[in-house]
Amino acid sequence: MADINAVATQFTDFYYTSFDRDRSSLEPLYRPESMLTFEGTQLLGTANILEKLKSLPFQNVQHKVTTLDAQPSTNPGAIIVSVTGLLLVDGGENPLQFSQVFQLVPSDGTYFVFNDIFRLNYGA
Amino acid sequence: MADINAVATQFTDFYYTSFDRDRSSLEPLYRPESMLTFEGTQLLGTANILEKLKSLPFQNVQHKVTTLDAQPSTNPGAIIVSVTGLLLVDGGENPLQFSQVFQLVPSDGTYFVFNDIFRLNYGA
């Protein structure tokens, strides 16, 4: 599964670099049918998703990927990507753990995000 | 999306109760095309997946679900389920955080697990 792992790595590198630099640059990754569940809040479509991402109340954020797993999905070419990692917010010393799941769907020689589920993982 | 949330809750209740009681009882949930990535190890098909699950080196285990999110997948009726939670192993006092992703696919009036990705989340 080397190929899908390469796609997953390339996608997450791009996604988190873009997120941390300028969240509005994530817009081309979403479509009208894209779904985001962010900390339990459900959003549908590019406009709603971008509005949510841009409204998040931190100025500086850095994602560090700890684990990255990919599997082929049911639809030909689609990929399930599961990420766990650390989120450093506004220079805070205590990174937050997060989990994020994407389903990437191929289209026009690239991929868009069909499913996106984000959760912070609080300690026990 | 009340319906898929109900399916996701019913599935995860059944899955973790079965896992914690008798891992071999998970067999009917998998198919020859099912995939499990367990802590980075990739397994394909019911037999390989069950062998892996039954070989895990703990006797008593309890899953506690902290968050559960579900979204419709690309294929009609299929569901992406993302779980975060705590794993209590062999009476240990320090629960481990975990993340798990499933894609459930409808078949014969029930669902089987097409994708399954499991990761422990270690602290920063």
Side-chain angles (χ1 to χ4, degrees):
Chain A
M1 292 197 255
D3 194 47
I4 69 164
N5 289 323
V7 171
T9 300
Q10 194 173 5
F11 168 77
T12 51
D13 284 352
F14 179 78
Y15 183 91
Y16 293 120
T17 302
S18 301
F19 191 111
D20 296 350
R21 189 179 296 155
D22 174 11
R23 280 168 257 166
S24 61
S25 67
L26 297 171
E27 185 165 350
L29 298 177
Y30 295 97
R31 294 278 177 92
E33 63 269 39
S34 300
M35 287 166 274
L36 167 64
T37 306
F38 187 91
E39 288 286 275
T41 301
Q42 298 179 341
L43 301 140
L44 176 66
T46 312
N48 293 325
I49 291 170
L50 263 288
E51 186 182 12
K52 177 67 180 178
L53 294 177
K54 291 193 283 186
S55 76
L56 296 174
F58 38 73
Q59 295 300 311
N60 296 299
V61 61
Q62 191 185 355
H63 291 78
K64 290 192 177 180
V65 172
T66 308
T67 70
L68 175 60
D69 296 299
Q71 291 182 349
S73 185
T74 47
N75 267 17
I79 304 173
I80 306 287
V81 179
S82 175
V83 181
T84 69
L86 300 173
L87 198 66
L88 286 80
V89 176
D90 290 339
E93 290 181 5
N94 298 312
L96 301 166
Q97 289 192 51
F98 74 90
S99 304
Q100 191 160 14
V101 182
F102 300 97
Q103 181 167 207
L104 307 180
V105 172
S107 174
D108 300 331
T110 183
Y111 291 84
F112 74 94
V113 176
F114 189 86
N115 300 100
D116 183 351
I117 301 174
F118 178 92
R119 278 285 182 180
L120 292 172
N121 307 140
Y122 296 104
Chain B
M1 294 198 254
D3 194 48
I4 69 163
N5 288 322
V7 171
T9 300
Q10 195 174 4
F11 168 78
T12 51
D13 284 352
F14 179 79
Y15 183 91
Y16 293 119
T17 301
S18 300
F19 191 111
D20 296 349
R21 189 180 295 156
D22 174 11
R23 279 168 257 166
S24 61
S25 67
L26 297 172
E27 186 165 350
L29 298 177
Y30 295 97
R31 295 278 176 92
E33 64 269 37
S34 300
M35 288 166 273
L36 168 64
T37 305
F38 187 91
E39 288 285 276
T41 301
Q42 297 180 342
L43 301 140
L44 177 66
T46 313
N48 293 325
I49 290 170
L50 264 287
E51 186 182 10
K52 176 66 179 177
L53 294 178
K54 290 193 284 187
S55 76
L56 296 174
F58 38 71
Q59 296 300 312
N60 296 300
V61 61
Q62 191 185 353
H63 291 77
K64 289 191 178 180
V65 172
T66 307
T67 68
L68 175 59
D69 296 298
Q71 291 183 350
S73 184
T74 47
N75 268 16
I79 304 173
I80 306 286
V81 180
S82 176
V83 181
T84 70
L86 300 173
L87 199 65
L88 286 80
V89 176
D90 291 339
E93 291 181 3
N94 297 315
L96 301 165
Q97 290 192 49
F98 74 92
S99 304
Q100 193 160 13
V101 181
F102 301 97
Q103 181 166 207
L104 307 181
V105 172
S107 175
D108 300 332
T110 181
Y111 291 84
F112 73 95
V113 176
F114 188 86
N115 299 99
D116 183 352
I117 301 174
F118 178 92
R119 279 283 183 181
L120 292 172
N121 308 139
Y122 297 103

